[in-house]
Amino acid sequence: GENVEQHPSTLSVQEGDSAVIKCTYSDSASNYFPWYKQELGKRPQLIIDIRSNVGEKKDQRIAVTLNKTAKHFSLHITETQPEDSAVYFCAASTGAAGNKLTFGGGTRVLVKP
Amino acid sequence: NAGVTQTPKFQVLKTGQSMTLQCAQDMNHEYMSWYRQDPGMGLRLIHYSVGAGITDQGEVPNGYNVSRSTTEDFPLRLLSAAPSQTSVYFCASSRQGRHTGELFFGEGSRLTVL
């Protein structure tokens, strides 16, 4: 089955700096790559996603890039703010079984004021 | 809409006891799933369902049972609780169509097995 690896496991940045989280996946049939944000004690929530027919997608301060040849995708957060402190999860899906997502292990991001 | 509702939010069990985690959604989503979240291991899929009457195993199904008699409900049963099942459990649902879409999560159920 699909295997998703996520790095780094923790990331500490100064407010205003950029943060980058990287994920690799194993199944070349995967075609949907979402990113979820989970604040402390809360449920995971979708922040951005990308499909395999697109190489990059932006939404204000966040962007995701996808390299299908290398089977990796990344989340970029620019001008980080304290409210960006959370755990971020990448995921991948082939779409073959409903919305069956395989998640990475998560990255704990701490934005220092 | 309430979205995805899970009960209970907290539960303590003794080894060998059984219990059911309830999950209900009011968004008419075809797809429902259960994940467990353990420190450093992300979210791992336990069981999922693509519609009423249809269920399938995920990555870590052992020790858990599910059923899907209605579109709205997807309960998770622990048959004989073990300390290794101490975790936070999330139910999630989504629409199902030609393109995979957003997964909506419940608030989570924290289970401790002594």
Side-chain angles (χ1 to χ4, degrees):
Chain A
E2 174 69 277
N3 182 49
V4 178
E5 297 199 352
Q6 183 172 346
H7 299 281
S9 56
T10 60
L11 181 59
S12 182
V13 297
Q14 208 66 38
E15 182 177 356
D17 288 349
S18 295
V20 180
I21 304 169
K22 299 182 179 181
C23 289
T24 60
Y25 61 98
S26 61
D27 191 341
S28 57
S30 289
N31 55 19
Y32 175 66
F33 308 92
W35 287 86
Y36 284 78
K37 176 183 180 182
Q38 186 180 30
E39 296 176 354
L40 190 61
K42 300 290 182 66
R43 72 189 84 190
Q45 292 189 296
L46 180 72
I47 55 171
I48 195 168
D49 57 13
I50 191 168
R51 300 189 189 275
S52 59
N53 58 345
V54 175
E56 183 176 1
K57 184 177 179 180
K58 288 183 180 179
D59 183 3
Q60 299 182 352
R61 294 186 299 107
I62 60 174
V64 58
T65 58
L66 171 65
N67 183 328
K68 285 217 72 179
T69 303
K71 290 193 281 189
H72 67 69
F73 56 112
S74 301
L75 178 72
H76 304 253
I77 308 173
T78 58
E79 300 173 18
T80 53
Q81 300 168 6
E83 53 264 37
D84 295 329
S85 294
V87 178
Y88 293 80
F89 293 98
C90 63
S93 171
T94 65
N99 201 1
K100 185 179 171 185
L101 290 176
T102 300
F103 284 86
T107 298
R108 184 174 299 277
V109 174
L110 175 63
V111 180
K112 296 180 288 186
Chain B
N1 287 354
V4 180
T5 304
Q6 287 181 236
T7 57
K9 287 187 171 52
F10 301 94
Q11 183 72 48
V12 179
L13 290 178
K14 294 181 180 178
T15 296
Q17 288 185 316
S18 62
M19 76 156 298
T20 299
L21 297 176
Q22 301 290 346
C23 176
Q25 52 90 11
D26 61 358
M27 297 175 282
N28 203 30
H29 285 168
E30 302 92 343
Y31 182 86
M32 296 186 75
S33 55
W34 278 101
Y35 285 87
R36 60 177 289 172
Q37 183 174 27
D38 303 296
M41 301 189 75
L43 294 149
R44 292 184 292 168
L45 183 64
I46 304 171
H47 285 285
Y48 66 97
S49 168
V50 298
I54 306 169
T55 64
D56 207 345
Q57 296 181 351
E59 182 185 353
V60 288
N62 292 342
Y64 306 95
N65 212 348
V66 291
S67 60
R68 184 95 180 269
S69 56
T70 67
T71 299
E72 294 79 19
D73 300 298
F74 191 45
L76 178 72
R77 296 182 186 84
L78 279 71
L79 309 172
S80 177
S84 60
Q85 293 178 304
T86 293
S87 188
V88 179
Y89 292 85
F90 286 97
C91 178
S93 73
S94 75
R95 286 174 48 207
Q96 185 172 293
R98 197 163 68 88
H99 295 296
T100 311
E102 180 175 0
L103 205 56
F104 292 85
F105 285 85
E107 290 185 313
S109 299
R110 183 175 294 274
L111 175 67
T112 301
V113 183
L114 303 175

